[in-house]
Amino acid sequence: MTAGLRAGLIGLGSMGRNHARVLAGLDNVRLVGVVDPMGDTNGWAQGAPVLSTVEELIALGIDYAVVACPTALHEQVGLQLADAGICALIEKPLADTVAGARRLVEAFEARGLVAGVGHIERCNPALRSLRTRLEAGELGEVFQVVTRRQGPFPHRIADVGVVKDLATHDIDLTGWVTGRRYESIAAHTVHKSGRAHEDMVSVAGRLTDGTMVNHLVNWLSPLKERFTSVTGERGSFIADTLTADLTFHSNAAVATEWEALRAFRGVSEGDMVRYAIPKREPLLVEHELFRDAVLGTSQDICTLRDGLRAVEVAAAVLESAASGQTVTIKTEELAAHGA
């Protein structure tokens, strides 16, 4: 491994420890410092010096930093890095408020810095294959996207609810695989764990091209499930992102001689195909893509503007749940610096 880029990490929690592991073995990158006020009693820093403040990390002269601290601190830490001229990969969600996410977009773009958001599902092999197939028109017109993201309560999460912690995954991946934005949202939430934040959300939405969207997200289920289904005129793609499997269920072409039924364009069960997909670790792929973006050899990352859109939709989900009304998504486009 060459010395290459000098990288830093902020936060050694459940995601931070994995970022440290990947950074320590990433080609053309050297992990030179980790920030965590609690120290590193478990050896998760991979031998890198553990610092108490972001200022100490900046003083080491890093090229980019990975921000894996609690969501409520993303804006503060991100702005510190932008002010210091340092590129950043910020864990999802980008920020805990829409206003904070916008300030981050503006700060990094104003300085011409590479910055991205860790929406890791974009690097899942099944979803990357699904997106490629949709772009190639293999499904024809897309009618509906359905996701289910369920599992036990994660005790590591204290500052946000299930919408910002988990539903942002599905919000981003839906827009990414379809190439469309959300137009409207109707949502319901449930509070059962005694915490201030929601534990379950059911979302019905509509994309700008009319595609129907449904999300069911909770951390009240003993069953862990990561399911994405995209249905269109030629059948359905089913992605299991826990196993990174992608299957296609095709519509069968069955002729009918019954004249009264010819007017109804129904579907029937056809062939099922499970694709053989190379399965690389999504977090490693995410880091490779961001490293290449910093080096200027690739732009295949989730941008801060993408992350902002996910935060905007998540805010609309919470607004709809609180009001009981359908919410129209109004995205305020920021001026593009250097355009």
Side-chain angles (χ1 to χ4, degrees), residues 96-220:
D96 60 348
T97 66
V98 173
R102 287 178 182 150
R103 284 190 286 270
L104 286 169
V105 173
E106 292 168 341
F108 281 93
E109 287 191 352
R111 294 162 177 81
L113 297 169
V114 175
V117 185
H119 279 290
I120 196 170
E121 292 288 39
R122 293 189 178 206
C123 299
N124 187 284
L127 292 177
R128 291 183 75 82
S129 179
L130 169 57
R131 182 176 188 247
T132 298
R133 295 175 185 281
L134 290 179
E135 288 178 336
E138 292 185 20
L139 196 60
E141 181 185 355
V142 175
F143 302 150
Q144 183 186 42
V145 180
V146 176
T147 70
R148 296 195 301 271
R149 186 174 297 269
Q150 307 182 86
F153 177 75
H155 294 284
R156 63 183 175 83
I157 300 297
D159 59 338
V160 295
V162 75
V163 171
K164 292 181 180 179
D165 181 57
L166 291 183
T168 46
H169 279 301
D170 297 307
I171 290 167
D172 179 73
L173 76 84
T174 297
W176 179 68
V177 299
T178 63
R180 299 291 184 268
R181 297 190 182 186
Y182 284 77
E183 183 177 86
S184 63
I185 286 288
H188 298 280
T189 55
V190 169
H191 297 70
K192 293 294 183 182
S193 67
R195 300 165 67 252
H197 304 291
E198 74 287 345
D199 310 301
M200 177 183 288
V201 63
S202 176
V203 179
R206 178 183 174 93
L207 303 183
T208 50
D209 65 346
T211 297
M212 179 187 299
V213 174
N214 299 95
H215 303 307
L216 177 61
V217 189
N218 79 72
W219 51 40
L220 297 176

